[in-house]
Amino acid sequence: MANITEIARQAKVSRSTVSRVLNDHPYVTVQKKEAVLEAIRSLDYVPNRNAINLSKGKTNIIGVMVPQINHPFFNNLISGMGEACSRLNLSLLVTPTNNDFEKEKVSFDQLRYKQIDGLVIASTVSSAEFLAEVNRHGPIVSCEWSEGSHSQVYIDHSNGIELIMNHLIERSYEKIALCLGNPDSGVGKSRKNAFYEFVDKSKIIHLKEWYFEKKYSFEDGRAVMNDLYGLSALPRAIVVGNDYVAAGIIHQAKLLNVKVPEDLAVTGFDNQSISEAMGITTIDQPIHQLGIEVIKTIDSLINGQHKNVGNTLPLQLISRQST
Amino acid sequence: MANITEIARQAKVSRSTVSRVLNDHPYVTVQKKEAVLEAIRSLDYVPNRNAINLSKGKTNIIGVMVPQINHPFFNNLISGMGEACSRLNLSLLVTPTNNDFEKEKVSFDQLRYKQIDGLVIASTVSSAEFLAEVNRHGPIVSCEWSEGSHSQVYIDHSNGIELIMNHLIERSYEKIALCLGNPDSGVGKSRKNAFYEFVDKSKIIHLKEWYFEKKYSFEDGRAVMNDLYGLSALPRAIVVGNDYVAAGIIHQAKLLNVKVPEDLAVTGFDNQSISEAMGITTIDQPIHQLGIEVIKTIDSLINGQHKNVGNTLPLQLISRQST
DNA sequence: TTGTACGCGTTATCAT
DNA sequence: ATGATAACGCGTACAA
């Protein structure tokens, strides 16, 4: 209710002086400063953010556009961003888009409206041309690789298989099976390629019947283990593209009295909570860190660093009892 | 860049008329309206949100205060809130507090600053008196039961054990064990009480050695199963306060050739993803729905419904293969 | 060191 | 139906 004018009246100074006190500007005597602070206390004054925003053309709010909130990746990302924002005294405005173009436009317009100082794009269905247009109105940073010249910070997924294979080789596993989800998806293809490249250029032994695909669930994993068990030649390790499938394999392995990792080593992907619960060696995406980095990037962009950047973060291997 | 004045100049009308067109107000001829719309298009104009906010004293932003973002409960809650906000054309400002009083004050001040129209408190460490004080400056709704007269919408945890026990009785399980986490926490106490009340007033059989506490992890669950297995008298079912512990019990049961649910039925709590993966009957908290309800509540509060409300949402049983 | 006066972009009120 | 003009609350050159 109380505004700067009332404070000025009560403290018997001008509004400018009140403003100076509020913003810690120099050139104000201790007496007046005290008087102003006293008036602020007694009137229970708080500055109106909207007025400040209008006057400064800045809100200290960062927007983030995500397809959905209730998803491990985006949740983790938002969490990292929230932490970094809190440190930088920024606020975080979250907009779920459901991968809907119209919803995305709402978020883009917030940037043009000056409701947010910068926009972080976790994932988008909009075109590179559209992003370029939006970028003219304010800083944007994308968390996935995409065309276009705007800033990007994203996780380098290419080396996941490499990390796992090196880990297995270090531990002297040579007969290695592979179990993927959708082999035609982007990650599926790159993982499959990486695996077979590795097989070619090393002394790893890999049989045709040691390859499984389209495995997505705990139950699928149990079935894989049963299939493996029926083979005449058993691998010593299996690389799995999903923690839940890996968990199913381990579960069934124990039922079949196959010891993990002594008889069969198992690795998962994504460091889901089930992998920690069951002690599965897996690959962690530094998503939280990505959230922090992306806020640092957009913050420096907002503060005048107008050259766009492209950074990547590497994956990390989490070694547990299953290898 | 372009503002309302430029539009007015280009369309050869007054700023008032532009504002009328922008807000769909009556009393403006089709010709002038067209001229204004044309100017808006040609100058690529978007209204400045901060100016509107200042002028209207309203932002259409809802704030939400959470201890942490990266937590299943709060993530789900934020997700529901995001969905509801999107439907009501509201934005969602997320503030992680880390249960720090000072961080919470930042969020409270946003309400007083008029940066947000209403505040949702997922969980707080501040006192009821403090909340009452904040409530004088703007609408707040809390997602957990608390003292004080502000609006509250929360999940009624009291009937979880009841739902499970009725379910087990329906399926004719009579010899029932209990396995809790921290027995001295709020939920621990209420679950323990509810269980033993049930035992007293029904024909359920429960032996002293069928009670376990301070079990939190998958490994703890395996140990519980081993303990059970060593007993002379086995229960036919075990009620577990945590999905991970339940998963560990089932895992170990299979290793011991104890069939689930034929020899031993197992129930979990919280409907975590591992319970779906392993087919565990569990209790679901309607958290997403809570998020939706809480936004509806604060929205009606903002729009003049100034009587405070207190609503609860019931828990739900998810029946799967483990019973 | 302090105060005056204006600008920020919009909506609302009141004439006309 | 339209257009001045006054809020909204604050920051800030500029003057003193």
Side-chain angles (χ1 to χ4, degrees):
Chain A
M1 283 273 101
N3 60 23
I4 208 173
T5 309
E6 280 191 59
I7 304 297
R9 193 187 313 147
Q10 175 129 348
K12 302 192 186 308
V13 298
S14 75
R15 301 186 344 191
S16 312
T17 303
V18 178
S19 179
R20 287 196 187 92
V21 173
L22 250 28
N23 297 287
D24 268 326
H25 283 182
Y27 305 131
V28 48
T29 53
V30 206
Q31 293 88 340
K32 301 220 171 194
K33 184 167 183 175
E34 272 312 316
V36 168
L37 290 176
E38 176 52 33
I40 287 177
R41 259 191 301 274
S42 78
L43 292 176
D44 195 28
Y45 166 81
V46 280
N48 182 312
R49 261 279 145 208
N50 293 314
I52 298 176
N53 292 343
L54 174 59
S55 183
K56 292 201 165 176
K58 207 179 161 193
T59 60
N60 287 323
I61 301 179
I62 307 293
V64 54
M65 207 173 81
V66 292
Q68 46 173 315
I69 294 169
N70 188 10
H71 179 288
F73 182 90
F74 299 118
N75 174 34
N76 227 317
L77 182 70
I78 295 171
S79 174
M81 294 179 62
E83 190 182 310
C85 280
S86 173
R87 240 178 267 154
L88 294 168
N89 285 321
L90 298 170
S91 295
L92 190 60
L93 193 64
V94 180
T95 306
T97 66
N98 215 12
N99 281 322
D100 175 12
F101 185 71
E102 290 302 319
K103 291 273 180 62
E104 289 194 358
K105 265 194 0 201
V106 172
S107 198
F108 289 135
D109 276 342
Q110 293 178 336
L111 192 61
R112 307 174 63 197
Y113 283 33
K114 301 285 178 203
Q115 182 159 21
I116 56 180
D117 293 344
L119 177 62
V120 172
I121 300 172
S123 178
T124 182
V125 295
S126 300
S127 69
E129 296 80 44
F130 199 88
L131 292 190
E133 165 64 17
V134 173
N135 206 3
R136 298 198 308 117
H137 296 280
I140 64 179
V141 176
S142 148
C143 295
E144 57 179 7
W145 182 90
S146 79
E147 309 257 348
S149 61
H150 57 278
S151 291
Q152 310 183 6
V153 184
Y154 52 90
I155 293 171
D156 179 10
H157 289 93
S158 68
N159 71 331
I161 289 290
E162 203 172 320
L163 283 171
I164 286 178
M165 298 302 271
N166 283 331
H167 173 80
L168 291 176
I169 287 172
E170 267 174 31
R171 313 214 156 191
S172 308
Y173 297 105
E174 293 194 332
K175 298 155 74 173
I176 302 180
L178 179 63
C179 175
L180 295 178
N182 182 353
D184 300 322
S185 71
V187 291
K189 272 184 201 161
S190 79
R191 287 179 188 170
K192 192 171 175 177
N193 287 341
F195 181 87
Y196 283 107
E197 273 179 27
F198 222 98
V199 168
D200 286 345
K201 69 180 174 199
S202 67
K203 49 190 168 195
I204 287 170
I205 299 164
H206 176 75
L207 306 183
K208 270 201 303 287
E209 56 266 42
W210 292 350
Y211 172 73
F212 303 85
E213 62 179 33
K214 297 186 181 168
K215 306 303 177 192
Y216 306 100
S217 68
F218 189 87
E219 280 307 315
D220 286 344
R222 298 183 60 183
V224 166
M225 186 61 225
N226 284 334
D227 287 354
L228 272 181
Y229 197 66
L231 297 177
S232 52
L234 276 183
R236 280 282 288 112
I238 180 165
V239 173
V240 186
N242 175 305
D243 280 339
Y244 282 99
V245 177
I249 290 176
I250 292 176
H251 178 82
Q252 191 65 15
K254 298 208 173 170
L255 291 188
L256 296 171
N257 212 20
V258 172
K259 293 203 189 329
V260 175
E262 292 79 3
D263 301 330
L264 182 69
V266 181
T267 67
F269 244 99
D270 286 351
N271 195 22
Q272 310 253 24
S273 59
I274 198 173
S275 73
E276 190 184 355
M278 295 184 65
I280 303 172
T281 293
T282 189
I283 291 291
D284 183 59
Q285 301 182 40
I287 307 172
H288 192 87
Q289 190 59 35
L290 174 63
I292 294 174
E293 292 298 332
V294 81
I295 288 296
K296 281 187 191 164
T297 302
I298 200 131
D299 184 57
S300 72
L301 239 48
I302 289 169
N303 296 318
Q305 321 283 322
H306 275 300
K307 64 169 176 354
N308 286 347
V309 298
N311 281 339
T312 64
L313 273 63
L315 294 172
Q316 280 165 0
L317 182 95
I318 311 279
S319 177
R320 299 206 179 92
Q321 302 93 288
S322 71
T323 51
Chain B
M1 285 274 100
N3 60 23
I4 209 174
T5 310
E6 280 192 58
I7 303 297
R9 190 187 316 145
Q10 175 129 347
K12 300 190 188 308
V13 298
S14 74
R15 300 186 326 186
S16 311
T17 303
V18 177
S19 177
R20 288 195 185 93
V21 173
L22 249 29
N23 297 287
D24 267 328
H25 284 180
Y27 305 131
V28 48
T29 53
V30 206
Q31 292 89 340
K32 300 219 170 193
K33 183 168 183 174
E34 271 313 315
V36 169
L37 291 176
E38 177 51 34
I40 287 176
R41 258 190 302 274
S42 78
L43 292 177
D44 196 27
Y45 164 82
V46 281
N48 182 312
R49 263 279 146 208
N50 293 315
I52 298 176
N53 291 344
L54 174 59
S55 186
K56 292 201 167 177
K58 207 181 159 189
T59 59
N60 287 322
I61 302 179
I62 307 293
V64 55
M65 207 174 82
V66 291
Q68 48 171 315
I69 294 169
N70 189 11
H71 179 288
F73 183 91
F74 300 117
N75 173 35
N76 228 316
L77 183 70
I78 295 170
S79 174
M81 293 179 61
E83 189 183 311
C85 280
S86 172
R87 241 179 264 154
L88 294 168
N89 285 320
L90 299 170
S91 293
L92 190 61
L93 194 63
V94 180
T95 307
T97 66
N98 215 11
N99 281 321
D100 176 11
F101 185 71
E102 290 303 318
K103 291 274 181 62
E104 289 194 0
K105 265 191 4 197
V106 173
S107 197
F108 289 136
D109 276 342
Q110 291 178 337
L111 191 62
R112 308 173 63 198
Y113 282 31
K114 301 285 177 201
Q115 182 157 20
I116 56 180
D117 294 342
L119 176 62
V120 173
I121 301 172
S123 180
T124 182
V125 294
S126 300
S127 70
E129 296 80 45
F130 199 87
L131 293 190
E133 165 63 19
V134 173
N135 206 2
R136 300 197 309 115
H137 295 280
I140 65 178
V141 178
S142 148
C143 295
E144 59 181 4
W145 181 89
S146 78
E147 308 256 350
S149 62
H150 58 278
S151 291
Q152 310 184 5
V153 185
Y154 52 90
I155 293 172
D156 179 9
H157 290 93
S158 68
N159 72 332
I161 290 288
E162 203 175 320
L163 283 171
I164 287 179
M165 298 302 271
N166 284 330
H167 173 81
L168 291 177
I169 289 172
E170 265 174 33
R171 311 212 159 190
S172 309
Y173 297 105
E174 294 193 333
K175 298 155 76 174
I176 303 180
L178 179 63
C179 175
L180 295 178
N182 182 353
D184 300 321
S185 71
V187 292
K189 274 184 201 163
S190 79
R191 284 178 189 172
K192 191 170 176 180
N193 288 340
F195 181 86
Y196 283 105
E197 274 180 29
F198 223 97
V199 168
D200 287 343
K201 69 179 177 197
S202 67
K203 50 190 168 196
I204 289 169
I205 300 165
H206 177 75
L207 305 185
K208 272 200 303 283
E209 56 264 43
W210 292 351
Y211 172 73
F212 303 85
E213 61 178 34
K214 296 184 182 169
K215 306 305 177 190
Y216 305 99
S217 67
F218 189 88
E219 280 308 315
D220 287 343
R222 297 185 61 182
V224 167
M225 186 61 226
N226 284 333
D227 288 353
L228 271 183
Y229 197 68
L231 298 177
S232 51
L234 274 182
R236 279 283 287 112
I238 181 166
V239 173
V240 186
N242 175 306
D243 280 339
Y244 283 99
V245 178
I249 291 176
I250 292 176
H251 178 81
Q252 191 65 13
K254 298 208 174 173
L255 291 187
L256 297 171
N257 211 22
V258 172
K259 291 202 188 332
V260 175
E262 292 80 2
D263 301 330
L264 181 70
V266 181
T267 67
F269 245 98
D270 288 350
N271 195 22
Q272 310 252 26
S273 59
I274 198 173
S275 72
E276 191 185 354
M278 296 185 66
I280 304 171
T281 293
T282 190
I283 293 291
D284 182 60
Q285 300 182 40
I287 308 172
H288 191 87
Q289 188 60 35
L290 175 62
I292 294 175
E293 293 298 330
V294 83
I295 289 296
K296 283 186 191 166
T297 302
I298 199 134
D299 185 58
S300 71
L301 240 47
I302 290 168
N303 296 317
Q305 320 283 322
H306 274 298
K307 64 169 178 352
N308 288 348
V309 297
N311 283 337
T312 64
L313 274 61
L315 295 171
Q316 281 165 358
L317 182 96
I318 310 278
S319 176
R320 299 206 178 93
Q321 302 93 287
S322 72
T323 53

